[in-house]
Amino acid sequence: MPRRAKLGLQIGAVCVIALLLGLLGWRLAANAEGRNVAAAADDGERPPAPELILPLLGGDGEIDLASYRGQVVVVNFWASWCVPCRNEAPLLEEASQRWGDRGVAFLGVNAQDFLGDARAFVERYQITYPNVHDGPGETLGRFGITGFPETYFVDAEGRIVSRVPAEIDAEALEANIRLALSP
Amino acid sequence: MTRAVLVALAVALLLAAPALASEQSPTLAELEGEVTCPTCKTTLELSDSPIAERMREFISERIAAGDTKTQIKDALVDQFGEAVLNAPPKSGFNLIAWVLPLAGLVAAAGVVGALAWRWTRGTGRAAPGDPPGEPSGRLDPELERRLDEELARFDG
């Protein structure tokens, strides 16, 4: 084999391996980002909330979490097949109405779920705050979500103040909203 | 020649028939092995998570409604994205996942073939008087003498 062709083949092989390693690194880094966000929030570091732009569950249009800047946002990740999500749904709806005129918004993120099931869930529990849909669950990794339900509290500057990685109760909901409202 | 073509056609039909039947009338068991549970990242057949149960229910409903395998898979991809399929679709960027291993095999076969050809070409030593660069089929006289001795010893 001519030396130039051999060199070309070797360079090609090295490029393919570098590309595959790059893809692997990128994938690992993307997952690590979510874990870091969750860990930083748990340590009280207030990391910036990752990007979240998703289509509305109930109709046309989409919601960007960044558009809530200036308001505290309670971001609840849920799925219709998750029993604790059903348990906490009435509490979240009631709290959204109570806190709505005090600068606190609620946003539901339905993920890894059938769209029809998710819509039926919203109707069944008469949820009035906006909900978005992420069928493949692509945003979950960015936030470090490990299961459903999980609730994140985002302050007016778009930073994650705290999170509750379980079914939330009234006490925890109240305390975390107050924490997010505090400077 | 005609007989060979007929045999090839018959074999092709025999191979295509089960695939066609599976496409037109898929079973839950088949699809359970081809679809991934989005939360546990294993095939549906290995998962008993709530979403896996719900997906089984959905697939059974679609089979009862007479959907083909492709239609059911497309509906699941609409809901959960392409990651719901165990094997990537054979189109667009995903084609790389199918073509790359095949190309790798072909390339590896090519390299092995080239090396084998080179080795077989290079084994013969040129004897005095052979044209330069041409391998000879004759052995080195010294090697030939030793080989004869060894063979004689073996026979004796």
Side-chain angles (χ1 to χ4, degrees), chain A residues 1 6 16 20 81 112-117 133-136 148, chain B residues 38-39 41 50-51 54-55 58 76 79-81 100 111 114 118:
Chain A
M1 188 182 291
K6 197 173 174 182
V16 167
L20 291 173
W81 44 262
Q112 296 177 332
D113 204 354
F114 284 98
L115 191 59
D117 293 355
H133 180 63
D134 178 14
F148 296 118
Chain B
T39 56
K41 312 296 179 200
I51 184 62
R54 179 67 187 96
M55 288 169 83
F58 175 83
L76 287 168
Q79 298 286 335
F80 300 101
L100 213 56
V111 168
R118 202 170 145 191

Side-chain angles (χ1 to χ4, degrees), chain A:
Chain A
M1 188 182 291
R3 181 173 288 184
R4 187 169 287 184
K6 197 173 174 182
L7 188 67
L9 273 176
Q10 285 171 339
I11 290 172
V14 168
C15 285
V16 167
I17 291 168
L19 182 74
L20 291 173
L21 285 175
L23 279 171
L24 179 69
W26 170 74
R27 185 70 191 163
L28 290 175
N31 283 344
E33 182 201 345
R35 280 197 294 274
N36 292 342
V37 164
D42 291 346
D43 292 343
E45 287 174 24
R46 298 202 175 199
E51 185 184 82
L52 193 157
I53 306 170
L54 288 168
L56 274 161
L57 189 63
D60 294 337
E62 57 183 25
I63 285 187
D64 183 352
L65 179 59
S67 69
Y68 284 88
R69 199 60 59 89
Q71 274 183 292
V72 161
V73 197
V74 178
V75 187
N76 175 246
F77 291 85
W78 63 277
S80 66
W81 44 262
C82 141
V83 176
C85 301
R86 295 174 202 159
N87 297 340
E88 67 176 18
L91 171 71
L92 288 164
E93 172 55 26
E94 184 272 324
S96 77
Q97 294 193 11
R98 198 153 39 86
W99 286 96
D101 55 359
R102 286 189 269 176
V104 180
F106 280 64
L107 175 64
V109 182
N110 168 260
Q112 296 177 332
D113 204 354
F114 284 98
L115 191 59
D117 293 355
R119 284 179 177 156
F121 182 99
V122 166
E123 203 172 315
R124 180 177 174 193
Y125 292 99
Q126 299 177 325
I127 298 169
T128 55
Y129 56 84
N131 275 269
V132 288
H133 180 63
D134 178 14
E138 283 163 357
T139 51
L140 303 180
R142 271 181 251 153
F143 280 80
I145 306 284
T146 52
F148 296 118
E150 279 203 35
T151 306
Y152 280 64
F153 297 84
V154 180
D155 70 10
E157 289 172 50
R159 300 171 305 180
I160 296 173
V161 173
S162 58
R163 67 180 187 126
V164 177
E167 181 184 330
I168 201 161
D169 59 29
E171 207 173 295
L173 187 56
E174 185 94 7
N176 282 290
I177 289 175
R178 290 194 186 282
L179 183 66
L181 283 168
S182 67

